[in-house]
Amino acid sequence: MDFARQQRDPTRHMVGIAFVILVHALVIWALLTGLGQKVIEVVKKPMTAQIIEEIRPPPPPPPPPPPPPKKIIEPPKVIEQPYVPPPEIPPPAPVAPPVIANVAPTPPPEPVVIAPPPPVVIAPPAPPPKPAIRQGVSCTKKDAPTFPREALRANIQKGKVNAILTIDEQGNVADVKITASEPPRVFDRAVRDTLVEWKCVGEGAKYQASVEINFTLKD
């Protein structure tokens, strides 16, 4: 039987039609019974896909470093030195025997006479320095001041005045300074006018002396 006759065989067409009808009938039955809806829901579920990575073996360790090159130690070179003959040593000269001379004995030294030290002259002690202001003074002319009339009018019967005199190189009174007076300023002028006329001992240099003048009214 050739291919054209097989295509025209009605039996083959009937089998195909019956299979198609059976498939449609199963689909309609599944829709009616709800089995098709379950199949759709199962198909709608999300599908999870896992990617399985390939497990790679660890990389091999690095190769060890090459060993250092070996140092070649050369043996030290021996330098041959030329032969030097030893120096010729002359024979020792004959030593003359020592000559012993007669040494005269040295006389003993004369004793040294130590002279006594000169006597120590002790200078007399220096006089003590004079004070800057002396207490009292030696004068060849030393008049007493008169009782002032102002004191008589004021009924003052006594008083006291302390003064410092400045005496020049010739013994003249160059200055009179009143340091205290009792009663104040009553007897100052009479004391100053009188002490300026005093003539004291000159010492070749200026010096100062303190004096005290007392006033007493006599009957």
Side-chain angles (χ1 to χ4, degrees):
M1 183 181 295
D2 57 1
F3 180 74
R5 294 180 67 179
Q6 289 180 359
Q7 293 295 327
R8 289 193 300 268
D9 187 2
T11 305
R12 295 179 59 87
H13 290 287
M14 291 298 293
V15 173
I17 292 170
F19 181 75
V20 172
I21 292 171
L22 180 60
V23 170
H24 284 79
L26 290 175
V27 171
I28 293 171
W29 176 76
L31 292 174
L32 292 177
T33 58
L35 182 61
Q37 189 71 23
K38 292 180 180 182
V39 172
I40 293 172
E41 291 178 359
V42 171
V43 172
K44 284 183 178 182
K45 287 183 180 182
M47 299 177 67
T48 57
Q50 294 182 355
I51 300 173
I52 300 174
E53 295 183 357
E54 182 182 359
I55 299 174
R56 298 179 180 179
K70 294 182 179 181
K71 295 183 179 180
I72 300 173
I73 301 174
E74 297 180 358
K77 296 180 179 180
V78 179
I79 301 173
E80 296 182 358
Q81 297 181 356
Y83 174 75
V84 178
E88 296 181 359
I89 301 174
V95 179
V99 178
I100 300 174
N102 294 327
V103 179
T106 304
E110 297 181 358
V112 179
V113 179
I114 300 174
V120 179
V121 179
I122 300 175
K130 295 180 180 181
I133 300 176
R134 304 178 188 179
Q135 297 295 327
V137 63
S138 177
C139 299
T140 58
K141 182 182 178 183
K142 193 176 182 181
D143 297 334
T146 59
F147 203 92
R149 294 180 181 181
E150 293 83 1
L152 294 175
R153 296 192 190 100
N155 198 18
I156 298 173
Q157 299 182 358
K158 63 179 180 178
K160 181 176 65 174
V161 176
N162 292 330
I164 296 177
L165 306 181
T166 301
I167 302 169
D168 61 8
E169 294 84 351
Q170 288 77 27
N172 300 318
V173 177
D175 183 45
V176 178
K177 182 179 180 182
I178 305 298
T179 57
S181 60
E182 184 182 346
R185 294 184 301 277
V186 175
F187 302 99
D188 293 1
R189 182 176 180 180
V191 169
R192 186 178 291 106
D193 293 343
T194 303
L195 297 183
V196 168
E197 301 296 330
W198 283 11
K199 183 65 175 179
C200 302
V201 178
E203 298 182 357
K206 290 184 178 181
Y207 63 94
Q208 290 182 324
S210 175
V211 295
E212 181 178 309
I213 307 298
N214 295 307
F215 290 88
T216 303
L217 182 61
K218 296 180 181 180
D219 296 336

